[in-house]
């Protein structure tokens, strides 16, 4: 792989991504960029190329934390810097691997030396290395939640804290944060989405000419990286100079009262939570004005800032796609385009007087679309040769929908197929867990040994000591102090004395849904309730950070509708489009689930599965259909797979087949009514009330008899 970076100005299209990255380069206070897009769209290439455009920085000689000579950090672990030399170096691009540990991010303390020698031996982490540079997180949605929280906290506070066993280290950590993700592999929680300043949706262009140019440039770069970079050297220098000029202009930009009121009105109109969106929009609008070479924020800056800062903050539940209503945005901007005390010629009764807006705001060269406010003199390389539409309102999962429709030819059933019905409203469900203690990825479902949680015991270190169990260490060392010739107050510690904490928290699981879509489930009102129940369980899996998979069975066979993934949104979309009809091949659905779990066990042996079978228990398709389904169920019981059967049987006459199936699986059966969390609570309260009533009745009867 070549050490020569692909030039930023050589990338074709993706104007919004270019602009979002450049605005953060001008004003890191914007809060970073989250890039959402399909695979193979040059997300990583563009982020790596940006680092080469950033101005070089001056650092204190010998400082591992890149302290600025003009204002050294007074809390720098390598300080205090009183008399020092300095040098200049390029801005750093630090890439965070997906499987990174917390110690690698914040740095680590040598606890053995701290206890035995009384010294603070601190090794800086990636946050220290990224200070005053770029921190790039590829596949940010695949990181564990506590790692993402840690990164975003450092980005928001501009400082990293390390607290271990009474030893405290802190240092400056200000960086340009860029995360990329493929929504097909799972979403970030809304709380984490909100911490990214801007978001950009990208997709590969469908224009054959643009695609040909992308391929042509990539082949030229692979053949001669240095020569290819030289072709764009002049444009790269021009862009770097433009970033420097915009940085210098930034403090002079004025955010007028009209622009500020437009910003707050837009955030209120779109009902975003909190005030972070208002602050980010204000900083983005100021950066846009500086980028365009202006000292005043205009309406076009506010509009573009809203398009970049609000889409990912509009999600109300896990299945909403990020997006922004452009017509509502235009109306809000127009309604608040006048000063606080307009002439009484408007037709609106509100405090702003409505009004038609007069000149309608500036109609600069860039317009409301495009890569940024050109303003006539804006440099062309930043917009690229052609603009690539991002259309965040289209949703990340929409391109998947055509492929999600089951093909009728795959289900050669003579029975009539019913059209898909909508799912009922989701609700909070009971918590289903896997028994025992696991060792899987940190989550929120089943008990497991994790890096977080409460300490349950101590053990000898497995690898590098990171979580010292002080009491157990002292207990292990105490009996040997005389034999080791202890003199004075200091303990004589050997490596075998150290113990680490074993903590118990919760893990995420693989929740595999096996859904009966046969004719016996086809009653529309009933299927609406069933889909609502599965949708509720999907939302529960999202909140508990599980992987999910979905198998449907109908007609003559079972189909893997959704391979195990972290993208609950895709699961919800495929559930919505699920048709019903045909026979009930229950055995085929269970056997397909058994095969899927076997493969997943090889891929990720630490992730424990939870099987959720949604059925009324009926089985058709041959005289021995029921017996075959019972034999298939016994396979899961033999392996000890945790399972739940969602009993969908209804009507006055019930056969109890679903509960029989649950017994054969070695799991439990829950009816649709019992699935609701509030329903379970009411059952407990009702049971408690009945017991209290019976006890009171008995007491009264006893008193009467005694009397």
């Amino acid at each position: 792989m070549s050490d020569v970076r692909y030039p930023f100005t050589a990338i074709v299209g993706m104007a919004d991504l270019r602009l979002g990255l450049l605005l953060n380069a001008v004003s890191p206070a914007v809060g970073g960029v989250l890039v959402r897009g399909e695979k193979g769209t040059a997300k990583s290439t563009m982020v790596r190329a940006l680092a080469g455009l950033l101005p070089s920085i001056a650092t204190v000689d010998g400082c591992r934390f890149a302290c600025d000579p003009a204002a050294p950090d007074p809390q720098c672990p390598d300080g205090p810097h009183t008399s020092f030399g300095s040098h200049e170096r390029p801005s750093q691009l630090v890439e965070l691997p997906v499987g990174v540990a917390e110690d690698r991010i914040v740095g680590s303390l040598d606890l053995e030396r701290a206890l035995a020698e009384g010294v603070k031996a601190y090794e800086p982490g990636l946050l220290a290395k990224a200070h005053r540079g770029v921190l790039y997180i590829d596949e940010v949605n695949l990181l564990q939640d506590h790692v993402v929280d840690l990164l975003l906290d450092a980005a928001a506070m501009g400082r990293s804290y390390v607290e271990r066993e009474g030893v405290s280290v802190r240092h400056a950590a200000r960086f340009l944060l860029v995360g990329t993700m493929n929504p097909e592999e799972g979403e970030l929680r809304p709380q984490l989405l909100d911490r990214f300043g801007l978001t950009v949706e990208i997709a590969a262009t469908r224009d054959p000419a643009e695609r040909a140019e992308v391929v042509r440039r990539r082949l030229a770069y692979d053949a001669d990286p240095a020569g290819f970079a030289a072709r764009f050297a002049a444009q790269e220098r021009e862009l770097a100079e433009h970033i420097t000029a915009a940085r210098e202009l930034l403090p002079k930009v004025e955010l007028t009262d009209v622009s500020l009121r437009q910003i707050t009105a837009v955030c209120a109109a779109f009902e975003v939570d909190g005030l972070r969106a208002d602050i980010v929009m204000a900083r983005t609008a100021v950066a846009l004005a500086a980028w365009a070479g202006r000292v005043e924020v205009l309406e076009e800056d506010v509009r573009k800032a809203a398009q970049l800062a609000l889409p990912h903050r509009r999600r109300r539940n896990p299945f909403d796609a990020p997006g922004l209503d452009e017509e509502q945005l235009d109306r809000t901007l127009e309604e608040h385009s006048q000063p606080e005390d307009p002439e009484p010629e408007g037709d609106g009764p509100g405090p702003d007087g409505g009004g038609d807006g007069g000149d309608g705001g500036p109609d600069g060269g860039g317009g409301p679309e495009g890569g940024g406010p050109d303003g006539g003199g804006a440099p062309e390389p930043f917009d690229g040769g052609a603009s690539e539409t991002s259309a965040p309102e289209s949703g990340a999962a929409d391109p998947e929908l055509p492929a999600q429709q089951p093909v009728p030819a795959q289900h050669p059933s003579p029975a009539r197929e019913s059209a898909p019905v909508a799912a009922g409203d989701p609700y909070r469900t009971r918590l289903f867990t896997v028994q025992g203690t696991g060792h899987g990825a940190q989550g929120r479902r089943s008990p497991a040994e994790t890096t977080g949680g409460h300490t349950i015991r101590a053990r000898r270190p497995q690898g590098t000591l990171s979580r010292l169990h002080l009491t157990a260490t002292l207990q292990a060392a105490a009996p040997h102090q005389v034999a080791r010739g202890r003199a004075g107050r200091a303990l004589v510690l050997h490596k075998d004395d150290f113990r680490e904490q074993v903590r118990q928290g919760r893990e995420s699981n693989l929740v595999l849904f096996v859904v009966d879509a046969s004719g016996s489930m086809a009653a529309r009102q009933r299927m609406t309730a069933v889909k609502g129940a599965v949708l509720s369980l999907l939302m529960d899996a999202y909140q508990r950070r599980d992987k999910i998979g979905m198998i449907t069975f109908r007609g003559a066979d079972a189909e893997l509708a959704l391979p195990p993934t972290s993208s609950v949104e895709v699961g919800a979309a495929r559930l919505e489009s699920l048709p019903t009809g045909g026979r009930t091949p229950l055995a085929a659905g269970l056997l397909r689930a058994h095969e899927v779990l076997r493969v997943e066990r090889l891929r990720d042996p630490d992730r424990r599965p939870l099987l959720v079978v949604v059925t009324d228990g009926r089985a058709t398709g041959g005289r021995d259909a029921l017996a075959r389904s019972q034999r298939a169920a016994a396979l899961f019981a033999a392996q000890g797979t945790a399972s739940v059967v969602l009993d969908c049987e209804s009507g006055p006459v019930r056969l109890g087949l679903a509960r029989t199936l649950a017994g054969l699986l070695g799991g439990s059966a829950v009816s649709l009514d019992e699935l609701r969390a509030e329903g379970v609570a009411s059952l407990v309260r009702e049971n408690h009330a009945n017991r209290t009533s019976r006890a009171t009745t008995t007491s009264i009867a006893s008193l009467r008899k005694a009397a």
Side-chain angles (χ1 to χ4, degrees), residues 678-690:
E678 55 269 24
V680 176
S682 63
L683 287 174
V684 173
R685 287 193 295 267
E686 182 180 350
N687 186 35
H688 177 71
N690 290 337

Side-chain angles (χ1 to χ4, degrees), residues 444-466:
R444 299 181 177 181
R445 184 172 296 277
S446 303
E449 292 184 6
T450 61
T451 56
H454 59 280
T455 302
I456 56 174
R457 60 186 175 88
R459 68 182 176 195
R460 293 182 183 275
Q462 298 180 351
T464 303
L465 177 64
S466 58

Side-chain angles (χ1 to χ4, degrees), residues 44 124 269 285 288 357 384 396 404 425 448 494 511 556 587 686 688 700:
S44 301
L288 280 162
Q404 296 162 12
D425 294 332
H494 290 179
V511 182
E686 182 180 350
H688 177 71
I700 294 174

Side-chain angles (χ1 to χ4, degrees), residues 201-520:
E201 292 274 343
I202 62 172
T205 177
R206 300 297 184 254
D207 182 359
E210 278 194 42
R211 296 174 76 99
E213 182 61 22
V214 171
V215 175
R216 188 178 298 113
R217 294 188 180 186
R218 184 68 207 192
L219 293 177
Y221 170 79
D222 291 340
D224 182 10
F228 183 81
R231 287 171 47 192
F232 293 87
Q235 296 182 42
E236 293 284 291
R237 283 194 302 272
E238 182 184 355
L239 185 53
E241 292 170 0
H242 193 85
I243 293 174
T244 302
R247 281 188 172 187
E248 294 173 353
L249 184 62
L250 188 69
K252 304 175 184 177
V253 176
E254 178 187 2
L255 180 64
T256 63
D257 289 341
V258 172
S259 298
L260 180 57
R261 199 170 76 258
Q262 284 182 319
I263 289 171
T264 55
V266 167
C267 292
F270 283 100
E271 300 180 350
V272 296
D273 296 331
L275 293 172
R276 183 176 284 118
D278 306 62
I279 297 171
V280 170
M281 270 191 65
R283 290 171 175 169
T284 305
V286 170
L288 280 162
W291 180 248
R294 289 185 268 101
V295 293
E296 182 179 343
V297 173
L298 303 180
E299 183 175 310
E300 65 186 74
D301 301 323
V302 176
R303 188 180 197 282
K304 193 63 184 179
Q307 292 173 338
L308 293 172
L310 295 188
H312 61 302
R313 295 182 166 92
R314 288 280 297 139
R315 300 182 70 197
R316 284 292 175 265
N317 66 65
F319 309 127
D320 289 342
L324 206 64
D325 186 338
E326 298 286 342
E327 293 183 1
Q328 183 182 1
L329 175 60
D330 290 337
R331 286 196 306 269
T332 306
L333 290 174
E334 183 177 356
E335 289 170 4
H336 296 83
S337 61
Q338 298 297 324
E340 289 279 355
D341 50 348
E343 295 293 331
E345 59 188 17
D347 55 0
D352 295 333
D356 296 331
D359 57 2
D363 51 355
E369 300 175 357
D374 294 333
E380 295 183 359
F382 324 134
D383 292 336
S387 169
E388 184 167 330
T389 58
S390 28
E393 66 273 12
S394 63
D398 288 349
E400 294 286 337
L401 294 180
Q404 296 162 12
Q405 303 292 340
V407 182
Q410 296 177 352
H411 306 283
S413 172
R416 180 179 299 175
E417 179 181 286
S418 301
V421 298
D425 294 332
Y427 47 83
R428 191 165 63 90
T429 66
R430 292 175 57 176
L431 170 61
F432 300 106
T433 61
V434 179
Q435 297 300 314
T437 303
H439 301 84
Q442 193 162 348
R444 299 181 177 181
R445 184 172 296 277
S446 303
E449 292 184 6
T450 61
T451 56
H454 59 280
T455 302
I456 56 174
R457 60 186 175 88
R459 68 182 176 195
R460 293 182 183 275
Q462 298 180 351
T464 303
L465 177 64
S466 58
R467 299 182 303 274
L468 177 73
H469 196 298
L470 184 58
T471 304
T473 299
L474 296 178
Q475 287 176 342
H480 308 289
Q481 294 305 299
V482 175
R484 293 173 182 173
R486 174 186 174 184
R489 301 176 60 184
L491 287 174
V492 180
L493 297 175
H494 290 179
K495 190 170 184 178
D496 291 341
D497 297 331
F498 290 97
R499 300 291 184 270
E500 69 179 2
Q501 300 173 12
V502 177
R503 298 179 181 177
Q504 180 170 305
R506 291 194 175 272
E507 67 177 359
S508 63
N509 298 110
L510 168 60
V511 182
L512 182 61
F513 293 90
V514 182
V515 182
D516 184 350
S518 63
S520 65

